[in-house]
Amino acid sequence: MKPEQSLIFEISRPGRAAYSLPECDVPAEDSLDALIPAELLRKQPAALPEVSEVDVIRHFTALSRRNFGVDNGFYPLGSCTMKYNPKINEDVARFPGFAKIHPYQPEESIQGALELMHTLQSDLAALTGMDAVSLQPAAGAHGEWTGLMMIRAYHESCGEVRTKVIVPDSSHGTNPASASAAGLTTVTIPSNEQGMVDLEALKNAVGSDTAALMLTNPSTLGLFETQIVEIARIVHEAGGLLYYDGANSNAIMGITRPGDMGFDVVHLNLHKTMSTPHGGGGPGAGPVGVKAKLAPFLPGPTVVKSEDGSFTLQAGGPQSIGRVKAYYGNFGILVRAYTYIRTYGPDGLREVSENAVLNANYMLHRLAPHFEAPYPGICKHEFVLSGKNLKPYGVRTLDVAKRLLDFGYHPPTVYFPLNVEECIMIEPTETESKETLDGFIETMIRIVQEAKDTPEIVLNAPHTTEISRLDETQAARRPVLNCSCG
Ligand SMILES: *Cc1c(COP(=O)(O)O)cnc(C)c1O
């Protein structure tokens, strides 16, 4: 280990410091020590590392270099992909007029922020084909839960007890989890040979207890449900509603809208589709949009425009499911999404989707001969391959993913969706150059060749990373994070 990469407690030396403070001139009786009850005061100074400024800067810089992010290299994760994060969006979110306002400020002093939220509500409604939007939910799963709570409240207001949420087997894991958090139960239906919703299975599953069908279209297999209008008819005829998981909307912007497909509720992950770096689990924004009949159930407050042109916060009405987040949602992320939409404009958003789909199809077309392509034909913004053809050589999809690390790539999502054996899910995104796509494709082809010729290279990968293969279960369940792991 190079000295600058050593653990910060090991380079600690008594008396070293990265700061110097002036002599304290606060009289002892006014000091914090005098104000805090004695039993709450530390008896010993905290055991913190004592290091110089140079040491501490090198330590954190070294740590940051061990991270992988979109600013380091290609990151074709699939579904939850970190997509394009224009740097200007970061600048705008840091404008003092946005970053320094306080949620308790009077409305007349935050008209700009309220106008931004109002415009974003209408833009998202227009983009999804919905009638009303709440910006409150803080994540995709939170948006799902909010949407399902509204669906529940809607059925209750009609005097009906409907408790079942139908999800296809390719659905994102948050869908059944949100249904159960909303007090509903899930019914999983299998996909057909083409990876689409099996209409017969759907017809058998719907009934007087159906609250909703949750669907993402294109699905997590990257396939567009061509029968969506028929699917919507089946669910609506049974009295259920349609929920659109729009976490990843990079395939449809400006081309089609969930509202036009027959969906009643939708959430968007602004932190996936409309920028915002979200490594480490946050922050996010998962606004929900609804058709007019569900608008009374939206959480409040929403922003409304008064007749005099000013903007005000309007609390939820008597049927509202209530607040789902403190204050007004994750405002900084709303600013980034607003900037994203304004920068691209309607035609630009459509181009984003067209390029996302083009890049994915280029990759699928070139990689399909080297793996198994369970759903050949046209994909949308992402696609799945199966590594089943490598099994005879003792190599599995996980090994391919690990080998990619040696070539400096973040591996794609593997073993999801669950209905594809040895699944590899790839989303190249719209912003990657042809050279980057080609480089990744050639690396994948090389790994397939290695699997056949010298499988041990793939089986023992990664070879170039600081830490080689982990026991991932133990690493997640019993992480050892200190330096005495020897
Ligand atoms: C990421 C994702 C979610 C969940 O979003 P979070 O913000 O992580 O809660 C739901 N559905 C799909 C299809 C996703 O890709």
Side-chain angles (χ1 to χ4, degrees):
M1 216 182 242
K2 288 195 233 114
E4 76 266 22
Q5 291 179 331
S6 56
L7 292 148
I8 198 150
F9 279 94
E10 291 171 355
I11 55 173
S12 171
R13 293 293 176 273
R16 264 185 214 163
Y19 62 88
S20 66
L21 296 177
E23 203 59 24
C24 180
D25 59 1
V26 178
E29 64 273 20
D30 294 339
S31 75
L32 271 183
D33 283 6
L35 297 173
I36 296 170
E39 70 274 15
L40 296 180
L41 284 175
R42 277 183 193 285
K43 307 287 176 292
Q44 304 281 336
L48 297 175
E50 297 179 70
V51 286
S52 72
E53 179 178 350
V54 175
D55 287 342
V56 79
I57 299 276
R58 284 186 188 155
H59 171 73
F60 284 109
T61 307
L63 286 185
S64 76
R65 287 200 197 137
R66 290 196 205 171
N67 262 334
F68 190 94
V70 270
D71 292 343
N72 301 71
F74 188 46
Y75 198 136
L77 190 60
S79 193
C80 301
T81 313
M82 178 85 80
K83 298 177 234 294
Y84 181 38
N85 292 297
K87 297 297 175 258
I88 190 172
N89 297 3
E90 298 305 305
D91 288 348
V92 175
R94 286 167 179 76
F95 284 177
F98 290 139
K100 301 222 162 132
I101 51 178
H102 191 280
Y104 285 145
Q105 258 176 253
E107 284 175 13
E108 57 277 16
S109 72
I110 49 164
Q111 283 295 303
L114 294 179
E115 180 172 1
L116 180 144
M117 291 172 69
H118 187 262
T119 312
L120 186 59
Q121 285 172 191
S122 339
D123 286 353
L124 298 180
L127 198 62
T128 54
M130 293 288 149
D131 298 313
V133 166
S134 162
L135 302 172
Q136 268 190 27
H142 195 194
E144 290 170 25
W145 177 83
T146 303
L148 290 167
M149 291 300 284
M150 287 191 276
I151 288 175
R152 227 183 100 161
Y154 169 81
H155 289 309
E156 278 165 16
S157 78
C158 303
E160 294 195 31
V161 184
R162 289 176 173 264
T163 55
K164 298 266 162 63
V165 176
I166 302 171
V167 297
D169 58 1
S170 62
S171 78
H172 194 273
T174 50
N175 293 184
S178 302
S180 113
L184 303 164
T185 47
T186 32
V187 179
T188 306
I189 52 166
S191 308
N192 65 17
E193 290 276 290
Q194 289 79 42
M196 307 281 176
V197 168
D198 185 328
L199 290 191
E200 282 315 304
L202 178 65
K203 281 181 196 153
N204 291 334
V206 294
S208 58
D209 57 355
T210 303
L213 169 73
M214 282 183 102
L215 207 61
T216 177
N217 193 23
S219 68
T220 51
L221 300 167
L223 303 172
F224 190 83
E225 296 285 352
T226 48
Q227 310 246 52
I228 186 60
V229 174
E230 177 63 6
I231 291 170
R233 195 189 56 78
I234 295 170
V235 177
H236 282 148
E237 270 181 12
L241 296 175
L242 274 94
Y243 184 97
Y244 186 92
D245 176 345
N248 190 344
S249 310
N250 283 45
I252 63 158
M253 289 188 294
I255 297 171
T256 183
R257 310 188 302 171
D260 302 338
M261 298 179 209
F263 286 90
D264 305 289
V265 188
V266 52
H267 85 265
L268 296 173
N269 278 23
L270 299 185
H271 51 290
K272 286 181 187 165
T273 304
M274 301 189 186
S275 79
T276 291
H278 58 277
V288 280
V290 291
K291 285 282 174 71
K293 65 178 174 194
L294 285 149
F297 305 97
L298 272 179
T302 44
V303 182
V304 293
K305 190 172 182 176
S306 313
E307 278 186 6
D308 66 0
S310 66
F311 297 91
T312 49
L313 288 160
Q314 190 176 63
Q319 288 186 297
S320 163
I321 61 161
R323 229 176 220 293
V324 299
K325 168 99 176 68
Y327 306 114
Y328 320 117
N330 275 335
F331 181 67
I333 286 135
L334 307 181
V335 176
R336 288 170 177 88
Y338 172 90
T339 312
Y340 187 92
I341 292 173
R342 290 270 96 65
T343 311
Y344 273 114
D347 295 341
L349 292 178
R350 185 184 172 106
E351 224 176 294
V352 164
S353 290
E354 288 170 349
N355 286 328
V357 172
L358 179 65
N359 282 357
N361 277 286
Y362 174 67
M363 258 194 175
L364 170 59
H365 182 77
R366 288 205 55 199
L367 285 173
H370 303 276
F371 291 86
E372 284 194 19
Y375 309 109
I378 301 284
C379 66
K380 292 294 174 260
H381 58 298
E382 63 191 353
F383 59 93
V384 295
L385 296 171
S386 164
K388 220 163 60 176
N389 58 319
L390 302 180
K391 268 185 153 175
Y393 310 97
V395 172
R396 304 199 44 198
T397 289
L398 180 70
D399 306 310
V400 175
K402 295 293 179 195
R403 183 65 176 140
L404 277 169
L405 296 172
D406 285 331
F407 297 100
Y409 292 111
H410 192 292
T413 299
V414 292
Y415 300 107
F416 177 81
L418 305 174
N419 55 333
V420 173
E421 193 187 338
E422 293 295 315
C423 191
I424 309 174
M425 181 194 207
I426 299 176
E427 178 180 11
T429 81
E430 71 284 355
T431 39
E432 299 297 342
S433 67
K434 180 161 180 299
E435 290 75 23
T436 303
L437 302 182
D438 285 336
F440 181 78
I441 291 165
E442 274 136 35
T443 304
M444 288 286 274
I445 296 173
R446 173 180 168 163
I447 296 172
V448 171
Q449 200 55 45
E450 285 178 347
K452 295 176 180 171
D453 300 341
T454 48
E456 58 294 344
I457 292 190
V458 186
L459 292 171
N460 297 320
H463 305 279
T464 58
T465 52
E466 205 138 336
I467 294 171
S468 58
R469 218 177 272 211
L470 292 171
D471 178 335
E472 293 187 9
T473 314
Q474 290 291 327
R477 301 243 164 97
R478 287 192 50 243
V480 180
L481 301 175
N482 60 30
C483 51
S484 56
C485 43

